[in-house]
Amino acid sequence: MIVEPKVRGFICTTAHPEGCKESIKRQIEYVKRHGQKEGPKKVLIIGASTGYGLASRISLAYTYGAATLGVMYEKPAKENRTATPGYYNTEALEEFLHQDGYYGESINGDAFSREVKEMTIAKIKEDLGQVDMVIYSLAAPRRTDEDGVTYSSVLKTTSVPYTNKSLDLRNNQISEVTVPAATEEEEIATVKVMGGEDWALWIDALKDAGVLSEGVITIAYSYIGPKLTYPIYYEGTIGKAKEDLYQTSVLLNETLKDLQGKAYISVNKALVTQASAAIPVVPLYISILYKVMKEQQLHEGCIEQMDRLFFENLDHLEEELDEQQRIRMDDYEMLPEVQEKVAEAWDYVTTENLSEYADIKGYWEEFYHMFGFHYDNIDYTKDVEL
Ligand code: NAI
């Protein structure tokens, strides 16, 4: 079948298998350029098929030769429907890993469920014995609890409605959006989905099963961002969930003490991913940020961020922590010279001058790349197996 992108707002409903493979290949090549060193050997990545989790998996496998077990929630192809990009990414990555002689297996199912936790533990016992690192990189819209109740996360403020500029991804127009305030129930639901409870359930279950090795490290990903996006992010419902994730890291440090283990939050850079495209205001911020950071030669994508974390910083993490003991991979994003330029551009940007102030082309290139499209060495006119 010939596969073309079908973009609906901030989502693309098709994915190109060969393009996804190309994206994996490029990420592997990026990591391979620096050779290998000693480090984690057996890693569990929860949320391993796209974005930061996928880049973590690639970086850890090709920097340390680590065996990686990935958990994700992706759909295979069905009749004329393509699979989700995370499905193709995982298939391609496993193929590369096996060719290169590395262990790489995946569990496709709902990470929030007890069943998937049990399947993962059984798989670790069978294939790896124990893991020495657990990456928690879930970005999910909803979570169904053990008792059958479904919680949906919302991207709203936690105080009053908030109005600001936003990029309408359907037509590249800048318009004003008003983000409503969440109800208390919605706030609680967002914390349920994107907060730390499930991370703790994973670590507790893994520890109880005896599959965490001495000195285990677990890292979950978070975001802070500039004052500009505070009402919608840092102080919004998602920010509340991230605060809960942080508090969980404090608790997990206690849980892991007897194993001499550590739990960290890594605050990462704002990037185009399926998760971030859905947040109001943020895509405009990201496209301005890309322009500024590219001009200052500070731009990084998921793989550059995760490779800097795992290749450069991992063996001296403690020296890199901020006053709240968080890893700050958003260090370049938050530089005053970057943020001043972004704030200036934010005031001036309109639909008419969008490409002058924002890297709208770069935003869309990365967006299409996520779904395996717009790679110049792929022939998209050719039939592909779904
Ligand atoms: P993403 O949407 O690219 O990846 C989400 C991953 O979670 C995928 O592998 C998906 O299959 C998996 N997943 C979702 N629901 C699942 C479920 N029920 N069971 C199993 N797997 C499931 O998201 P992204 O952006 O890489 O986000 C990962 C983490 O990084 C999140 O915590 C996010 O808040 C954080 N982060 C993202 C930033 C960004 O700008 N994109 C910036 C800083 C932090």
PDB file of all heavy atoms in Angstrom, residues 283-300:
ATOM      1  N   PRO A 283       2.910  24.279  21.540  1.00  0.00           N
ATOM      2  CA  PRO A 283       3.530  24.181  20.211  1.00  0.00           C
ATOM      3  C   PRO A 283       4.086  25.511  19.691  1.00  0.00           C
ATOM      4  O   PRO A 283       5.144  25.535  19.055  1.00  0.00           O
ATOM      5  CB  PRO A 283       2.395  23.664  19.325  1.00  0.00           C
ATOM      6  CG  PRO A 283       1.562  22.854  20.264  1.00  0.00           C
ATOM      7  CD  PRO A 283       1.587  23.634  21.556  1.00  0.00           C
ATOM      8  N   LEU A 284       3.420  26.628  19.969  1.00  0.00           N
ATOM      9  CA  LEU A 284       3.953  27.929  19.539  1.00  0.00           C
ATOM     10  C   LEU A 284       5.244  28.231  20.295  1.00  0.00           C
ATOM     11  O   LEU A 284       6.240  28.665  19.721  1.00  0.00           O
ATOM     12  CB  LEU A 284       2.927  29.048  19.759  1.00  0.00           C
ATOM     13  CG  LEU A 284       3.387  30.448  19.358  1.00  0.00           C
ATOM     14  CD1 LEU A 284       3.775  30.516  17.878  1.00  0.00           C
ATOM     15  CD2 LEU A 284       2.301  31.502  19.654  1.00  0.00           C
ATOM     16  N   TYR A 285       5.214  27.970  21.588  1.00  0.00           N
ATOM     17  CA  TYR A 285       6.433  28.156  22.391  1.00  0.00           C
ATOM     18  C   TYR A 285       7.568  27.296  21.825  1.00  0.00           C
ATOM     19  O   TYR A 285       8.686  27.767  21.636  1.00  0.00           O
ATOM     20  CB  TYR A 285       6.161  27.796  23.864  1.00  0.00           C
ATOM     21  CG  TYR A 285       7.437  27.675  24.662  1.00  0.00           C
ATOM     22  CD1 TYR A 285       8.167  28.809  25.017  1.00  0.00           C
ATOM     23  CD2 TYR A 285       7.950  26.422  25.016  1.00  0.00           C
ATOM     24  CE1 TYR A 285       9.363  28.695  25.704  1.00  0.00           C
ATOM     25  CE2 TYR A 285       9.143  26.300  25.705  1.00  0.00           C
ATOM     26  CZ  TYR A 285       9.845  27.443  26.055  1.00  0.00           C
ATOM     27  OH  TYR A 285      11.035  27.323  26.721  1.00  0.00           O
ATOM     28  N   ILE A 286       7.272  26.031  21.517  1.00  0.00           N
ATOM     29  CA  ILE A 286       8.315  25.125  21.016  1.00  0.00           C
ATOM     30  C   ILE A 286       8.869  25.621  19.678  1.00  0.00           C
ATOM     31  O   ILE A 286      10.075  25.608  19.456  1.00  0.00           O
ATOM     32  CB  ILE A 286       7.779  23.676  20.895  1.00  0.00           C
ATOM     33  CG1 ILE A 286       7.546  23.081  22.296  1.00  0.00           C
ATOM     34  CG2 ILE A 286       8.738  22.790  20.101  1.00  0.00           C
ATOM     35  CD1 ILE A 286       7.049  21.650  22.316  1.00  0.00           C
ATOM     36  N   SER A 287       7.994  26.096  18.799  1.00  0.00           N
ATOM     37  CA  SER A 287       8.513  26.507  17.490  1.00  0.00           C
ATOM     38  C   SER A 287       9.355  27.783  17.607  1.00  0.00           C
ATOM     39  O   SER A 287      10.325  27.952  16.874  1.00  0.00           O
ATOM     40  CB  SER A 287       7.402  26.613  16.447  1.00  0.00           C
ATOM     41  OG  SER A 287       6.394  27.459  16.903  1.00  0.00           O
ATOM     42  N   ILE A 288       9.036  28.657  18.535  1.00  0.00           N
ATOM     43  CA  ILE A 288       9.891  29.837  18.772  1.00  0.00           C
ATOM     44  C   ILE A 288      11.202  29.387  19.429  1.00  0.00           C
ATOM     45  O   ILE A 288      12.295  29.810  19.045  1.00  0.00           O
ATOM     46  CB  ILE A 288       9.160  30.889  19.647  1.00  0.00           C
ATOM     47  CG1 ILE A 288       7.962  31.468  18.889  1.00  0.00           C
ATOM     48  CG2 ILE A 288      10.118  32.004  20.060  1.00  0.00           C
ATOM     49  CD1 ILE A 288       7.099  32.429  19.703  1.00  0.00           C
ATOM     50  N   LEU A 289      11.075  28.499  20.391  1.00  0.00           N
ATOM     51  CA  LEU A 289      12.259  27.980  21.092  1.00  0.00           C
ATOM     52  C   LEU A 289      13.241  27.326  20.105  1.00  0.00           C
ATOM     53  O   LEU A 289      14.456  27.527  20.185  1.00  0.00           O
ATOM     54  CB  LEU A 289      11.818  26.949  22.143  1.00  0.00           C
ATOM     55  CG  LEU A 289      12.922  26.311  22.981  1.00  0.00           C
ATOM     56  CD1 LEU A 289      13.460  27.311  24.009  1.00  0.00           C
ATOM     57  CD2 LEU A 289      12.418  25.056  23.693  1.00  0.00           C
ATOM     58  N   TYR A 290      12.704  26.540  19.175  1.00  0.00           N
ATOM     59  CA  TYR A 290      13.557  25.874  18.176  1.00  0.00           C
ATOM     60  C   TYR A 290      14.342  26.912  17.381  1.00  0.00           C
ATOM     61  O   TYR A 290      15.524  26.754  17.129  1.00  0.00           O
ATOM     62  CB  TYR A 290      12.699  25.047  17.203  1.00  0.00           C
ATOM     63  CG  TYR A 290      12.382  23.651  17.692  1.00  0.00           C
ATOM     64  CD1 TYR A 290      12.331  23.355  19.039  1.00  0.00           C
ATOM     65  CD2 TYR A 290      12.129  22.619  16.793  1.00  0.00           C
ATOM     66  CE1 TYR A 290      12.035  22.078  19.481  1.00  0.00           C
ATOM     67  CE2 TYR A 290      11.838  21.336  17.220  1.00  0.00           C
ATOM     68  CZ  TYR A 290      11.785  21.068  18.563  1.00  0.00           C
ATOM     69  OH  TYR A 290      11.493  19.798  18.987  1.00  0.00           O
ATOM     70  N   LYS A 291      13.644  27.973  16.972  1.00  0.00           N
ATOM     71  CA  LYS A 291      14.301  29.021  16.176  1.00  0.00           C
ATOM     72  C   LYS A 291      15.462  29.619  16.968  1.00  0.00           C
ATOM     73  O   LYS A 291      16.575  29.717  16.478  1.00  0.00           O
ATOM     74  CB  LYS A 291      13.256  30.085  15.836  1.00  0.00           C
ATOM     75  CG  LYS A 291      13.804  31.319  15.177  1.00  0.00           C
ATOM     76  CD  LYS A 291      13.357  31.374  13.758  1.00  0.00           C
ATOM     77  CE  LYS A 291      13.928  32.593  13.059  1.00  0.00           C
ATOM     78  NZ  LYS A 291      13.782  32.496  11.629  1.00  0.00           N
ATOM     79  N   VAL A 292      15.188  29.995  18.196  1.00  0.00           N
ATOM     80  CA  VAL A 292      16.202  30.649  19.035  1.00  0.00           C
ATOM     81  C   VAL A 292      17.354  29.683  19.321  1.00  0.00           C
ATOM     82  O   VAL A 292      18.522  30.029  19.185  1.00  0.00           O
ATOM     83  CB  VAL A 292      15.566  31.153  20.360  1.00  0.00           C
ATOM     84  CG1 VAL A 292      16.618  31.666  21.323  1.00  0.00           C
ATOM     85  CG2 VAL A 292      14.521  32.220  20.076  1.00  0.00           C
ATOM     86  N   MET A 293      17.021  28.456  19.700  1.00  0.00           N
ATOM     87  CA  MET A 293      18.087  27.511  20.075  1.00  0.00           C
ATOM     88  C   MET A 293      18.908  27.073  18.863  1.00  0.00           C
ATOM     89  O   MET A 293      20.104  26.832  18.983  1.00  0.00           O
ATOM     90  CB  MET A 293      17.508  26.309  20.824  1.00  0.00           C
ATOM     91  CG  MET A 293      16.994  26.724  22.204  1.00  0.00           C
ATOM     92  SD  MET A 293      16.481  25.349  23.240  1.00  0.00           S
ATOM     93  CE  MET A 293      18.040  24.747  23.892  1.00  0.00           C
ATOM     94  N   LYS A 294      18.284  27.009  17.698  1.00  0.00           N
ATOM     95  CA  LYS A 294      19.051  26.663  16.488  1.00  0.00           C
ATOM     96  C   LYS A 294      19.994  27.812  16.146  1.00  0.00           C
ATOM     97  O   LYS A 294      21.151  27.583  15.814  1.00  0.00           O
ATOM     98  CB  LYS A 294      18.115  26.347  15.318  1.00  0.00           C
ATOM     99  CG  LYS A 294      17.518  24.946  15.419  1.00  0.00           C
ATOM    100  CD  LYS A 294      16.581  24.618  14.274  1.00  0.00           C
ATOM    101  CE  LYS A 294      15.904  23.276  14.500  1.00  0.00           C
ATOM    102  NZ  LYS A 294      14.890  22.959  13.480  1.00  0.00           N
ATOM    103  N   GLU A 295      19.499  29.051  16.270  1.00  0.00           N
ATOM    104  CA  GLU A 295      20.359  30.213  15.990  1.00  0.00           C
ATOM    105  C   GLU A 295      21.555  30.245  16.935  1.00  0.00           C
ATOM    106  O   GLU A 295      22.644  30.626  16.563  1.00  0.00           O
ATOM    107  CB  GLU A 295      19.557  31.515  16.140  1.00  0.00           C
ATOM    108  CG  GLU A 295      18.816  31.877  14.876  1.00  0.00           C
ATOM    109  CD  GLU A 295      17.795  32.992  15.082  1.00  0.00           C
ATOM    110  OE1 GLU A 295      17.748  33.600  16.186  1.00  0.00           O
ATOM    111  OE2 GLU A 295      17.024  33.229  14.147  1.00  0.00           O
ATOM    112  N   GLN A 296      21.324  29.833  18.174  1.00  0.00           N
ATOM    113  CA  GLN A 296      22.412  29.863  19.169  1.00  0.00           C
ATOM    114  C   GLN A 296      23.177  28.533  19.217  1.00  0.00           C
ATOM    115  O   GLN A 296      23.973  28.307  20.116  1.00  0.00           O
ATOM    116  CB  GLN A 296      21.842  30.217  20.550  1.00  0.00           C
ATOM    117  CG  GLN A 296      21.162  31.580  20.554  1.00  0.00           C
ATOM    118  CD  GLN A 296      20.749  32.038  21.951  1.00  0.00           C
ATOM    119  OE1 GLN A 296      21.103  31.453  22.959  1.00  0.00           O
ATOM    120  NE2 GLN A 296      19.982  33.112  22.004  1.00  0.00           N
ATOM    121  N   GLN A 297      22.873  27.675  18.271  1.00  0.00           N
ATOM    122  CA  GLN A 297      23.512  26.355  18.166  1.00  0.00           C
ATOM    123  C   GLN A 297      23.424  25.540  19.454  1.00  0.00           C
ATOM    124  O   GLN A 297      24.374  24.907  19.901  1.00  0.00           O
ATOM    125  CB  GLN A 297      24.957  26.510  17.717  1.00  0.00           C
ATOM    126  CG  GLN A 297      24.948  26.965  16.276  1.00  0.00           C
ATOM    127  CD  GLN A 297      26.310  27.263  15.702  1.00  0.00           C
ATOM    128  OE1 GLN A 297      27.321  26.889  16.259  1.00  0.00           O
ATOM    129  NE2 GLN A 297      26.296  27.926  14.580  1.00  0.00           N
ATOM    130  N   LEU A 298      22.241  25.607  20.048  1.00  0.00           N
ATOM    131  CA  LEU A 298      22.000  24.880  21.299  1.00  0.00           C
ATOM    132  C   LEU A 298      20.877  23.853  21.141  1.00  0.00           C
ATOM    133  O   LEU A 298      20.493  23.208  22.100  1.00  0.00           O
ATOM    134  CB  LEU A 298      21.590  25.870  22.401  1.00  0.00           C
ATOM    135  CG  LEU A 298      22.652  26.840  22.897  1.00  0.00           C
ATOM    136  CD1 LEU A 298      22.013  27.884  23.808  1.00  0.00           C
ATOM    137  CD2 LEU A 298      23.757  26.102  23.633  1.00  0.00           C
ATOM    138  N   HIS A 299      20.360  23.752  19.925  1.00  0.00           N
ATOM    139  CA  HIS A 299      19.185  22.898  19.734  1.00  0.00           C
ATOM    140  C   HIS A 299      19.516  21.420  19.938  1.00  0.00           C
ATOM    141  O   HIS A 299      20.560  20.945  19.522  1.00  0.00           O
ATOM    142  CB  HIS A 299      18.596  23.102  18.345  1.00  0.00           C
ATOM    143  CG  HIS A 299      17.408  22.236  18.085  1.00  0.00           C
ATOM    144  ND1 HIS A 299      16.210  22.439  18.735  1.00  0.00           N
ATOM    145  CD2 HIS A 299      17.237  21.147  17.303  1.00  0.00           C
ATOM    146  CE1 HIS A 299      15.355  21.506  18.340  1.00  0.00           C
ATOM    147  NE2 HIS A 299      15.950  20.718  17.479  1.00  0.00           N
ATOM    148  N   GLU A 300      18.614  20.714  20.579  1.00  0.00           N
ATOM    149  CA  GLU A 300      18.730  19.261  20.705  1.00  0.00           C
ATOM    150  C   GLU A 300      17.352  18.646  20.458  1.00  0.00           C
ATOM    151  O   GLU A 300      16.343  19.239  20.809  1.00  0.00           O
ATOM    152  CB  GLU A 300      19.145  18.859  22.121  1.00  0.00           C
ATOM    153  CG  GLU A 300      20.529  19.314  22.537  1.00  0.00           C
ATOM    154  CD  GLU A 300      20.767  19.078  24.024  1.00  0.00           C
ATOM    155  OE1 GLU A 300      19.974  19.592  24.837  1.00  0.00           O
ATOM    156  OE2 GLU A 300      21.718  18.377  24.368  1.00  0.00           O
TER     157      GLU A 300
END
